[in-house]
């Protein structure tokens, strides 16, 4: 996971249709909060707003075409997903706990809550959004989000390397938040570890060539340097391995 810098200006669809839809949901909630809290009524979210092409394109560009959590470049064979950092429809504190309703409906079209991620990370994360103090969770648009201390690392707000580091192809946590993030999103799932190992073996080879000072040294050195660029797949692992 690497730090992500979203463009400051949200795509216009979020500012017009997204804002209108948010206001309508907030009014509906205020009119009948009890039935939304019980799940008798559920919000219908408009995929054409939060996953609009302009939103996806802007996120993909700022994320170098990679998943915000696992750094996989998977758009060549899957669509990927727009991730709501705070889940929009329902939310739960732990893997074995029940969903609480409603979710963070008022953030469904909020630019600061949107990220692009791969299908695997999206499914693993699901409605999970653990907090340090679950009792302080914002349950509707009147509550204060600043009272929450999320346990998942938000790559658009903080430096992931302060919580997550690599030992070879395996991610380790430096903090409790790092551990929750690895476990909750499945950042050491077998297929992902296998893909990282493949990349690591290439880096290892290149590193030996550089150290051995052969004819291929300058080309290998260039490739090693490139592997740490933010646009490269698994760049956080490459950085931890090489530096
Ligand atoms: Zn992913």
């Amino acid at each position: 996971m690497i730090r992500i810098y979203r463009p400051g200006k949200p795509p216009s669809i979020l500012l017009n249709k997204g804002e209108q839809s948010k206001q309508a949901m907030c009014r509906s909630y205020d009119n009948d909060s009890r039935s939304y809290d019980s799940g008798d009524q559920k919000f219908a979210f408009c995929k054409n707003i939060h996953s609009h092409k302009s939103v996806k394109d802007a996120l993909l560009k700022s994320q170098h075409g990679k998943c915000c959590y696992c750094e996989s470049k998977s758009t060549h064979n899957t669509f990927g997903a727009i991730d709501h950092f705070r889940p929009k429809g329902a939310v739960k504190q732990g893997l074995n706990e029940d969903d609480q309703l409603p979710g963070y409906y008022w953030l469904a079209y909020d630019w600061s809550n949107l990220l692009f991620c791969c299908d695997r990370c999206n499914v693993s994360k699901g409605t999970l959004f653990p907090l340090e103090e679950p009792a302080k969770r914002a349950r509707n648009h009147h509550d204060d989000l600043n009272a929450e201390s999320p346990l998942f690392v938000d790559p658009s707000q903080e430096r992931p390397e302060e919580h997550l580091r690599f030992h070879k192809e395996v991610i380790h946590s430096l903090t409790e938040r790092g551990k929750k993030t690895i476990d909750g999103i499945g950042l050491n799932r077998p297929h992902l570890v296998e893909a990282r190992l493949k990349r690591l073996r290439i880096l290892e080879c290149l590193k030996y060539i550089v150290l051995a000072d052969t004819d291929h040294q300058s080309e290998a050195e260039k490739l090693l340097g490139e592997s740490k660029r933010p646009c490269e797949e698994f760049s956080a692992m490459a950085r931890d391995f090489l530096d």
Side-chain angles (χ1 to χ4, degrees):
M1 196 187 293
I2 58 171
R3 179 78 162 86
I4 286 162
Y5 298 92
R6 243 187 239 103
K9 191 170 177 276
S12 56
I13 190 148
L14 299 177
L15 297 175
N16 45 60
K17 283 189 180 173
E19 185 58 27
Q20 284 164 17
S21 183
K22 173 193 159 181
Q23 295 300 338
M25 286 192 287
C26 291
R27 279 195 300 274
S28 298
Y29 181 85
D30 286 340
N31 284 337
D32 193 0
S33 60
R34 214 176 272 181
S35 58
Y36 284 104
D37 291 344
S38 67
D40 288 343
Q41 274 211 78
K42 285 182 181 169
F43 291 109
F45 300 100
C46 182
K47 206 173 175 182
N48 281 333
I49 302 176
H50 61 69
S51 298
H52 188 267
K53 190 177 180 304
S54 61
V55 174
K56 193 173 172 186
D57 286 351
L59 289 174
L60 271 173
K61 193 174 172 204
S62 63
Q63 294 177 209
H64 311 285
K66 296 187 292 184
C67 169
C68 64
Y69 299 117
C70 75
E71 274 199 272
S72 293
K73 279 193 174 180
S74 57
T75 45
H76 51 282
N77 57 10
T78 66
F79 289 107
I82 297 299
D83 175 61
H84 289 80
F85 185 66
R86 284 177 163 84
K88 63 187 183 309
V91 62
K92 65 181 174 188
Q93 173 69 15
L95 276 172
N96 298 320
E97 294 186 27
D98 292 333
D99 278 339
Q100 284 183 309
L101 293 162
Y104 296 86
Y105 57 90
W106 66 102
L107 301 177
Y109 312 117
D110 192 305
W111 187 222
S112 68
N113 194 42
L114 304 180
L115 291 159
F116 176 79
C117 77
C118 73
D119 297 328
R120 295 295 301 268
C121 286
N122 192 242
V123 170
S124 299
K125 184 167 168 276
T127 57
L128 199 58
F129 191 68
L131 301 179
E132 203 176 298
E133 294 175 86
K136 291 191 174 170
R137 188 181 297 284
R139 300 308 319 280
N140 62 58
H141 60 280
H142 299 292
D143 290 344
D144 182 14
L145 280 177
N146 293 320
E148 294 187 341
S149 301
L151 288 172
F152 281 164
V153 174
D154 180 352
S156 72
Q157 297 296 324
E158 53 198 320
R159 286 158 47 86
E161 59 267 39
E162 288 174 4
H163 303 276
L164 304 161
R165 295 305 292 262
F166 282 88
H167 178 64
K168 299 232 169 166
E169 70 276 19
V170 178
I171 306 189
H172 290 273
S173 55
L174 298 180
T175 61
E176 179 60 18
R177 294 187 58 211
K179 185 175 173 4
K180 287 281 180 193
T181 306
I182 293 170
D183 294 345
I185 304 175
L187 296 178
N188 278 325
R189 54 184 182 263
H191 285 108
L192 185 57
V193 172
E194 195 184 312
R196 288 199 298 248
L197 179 60
K198 244 184 202 172
R199 168 61 58 101
L200 194 65
R201 287 174 68 190
I202 295 169
L203 296 181
E204 255 168 354
C205 255
L206 291 171
K207 199 173 168 183
Y208 289 138
I209 291 172
V210 169
L211 294 174
D213 196 15
T214 67
D215 292 344
H216 297 96
Q217 187 185 18
S218 62
E219 181 60 16
E221 207 164 359
K222 189 169 150 244
L223 290 171
L224 281 178
E226 284 175 3
S227 70
K228 295 189 285 182
R229 295 187 309 191
C231 57
E232 295 298 330
E233 207 167 29
F234 312 132
S235 64
M237 176 188 71
R239 194 186 53 210
D240 280 353
F241 174 67
L242 295 169
D243 292 345

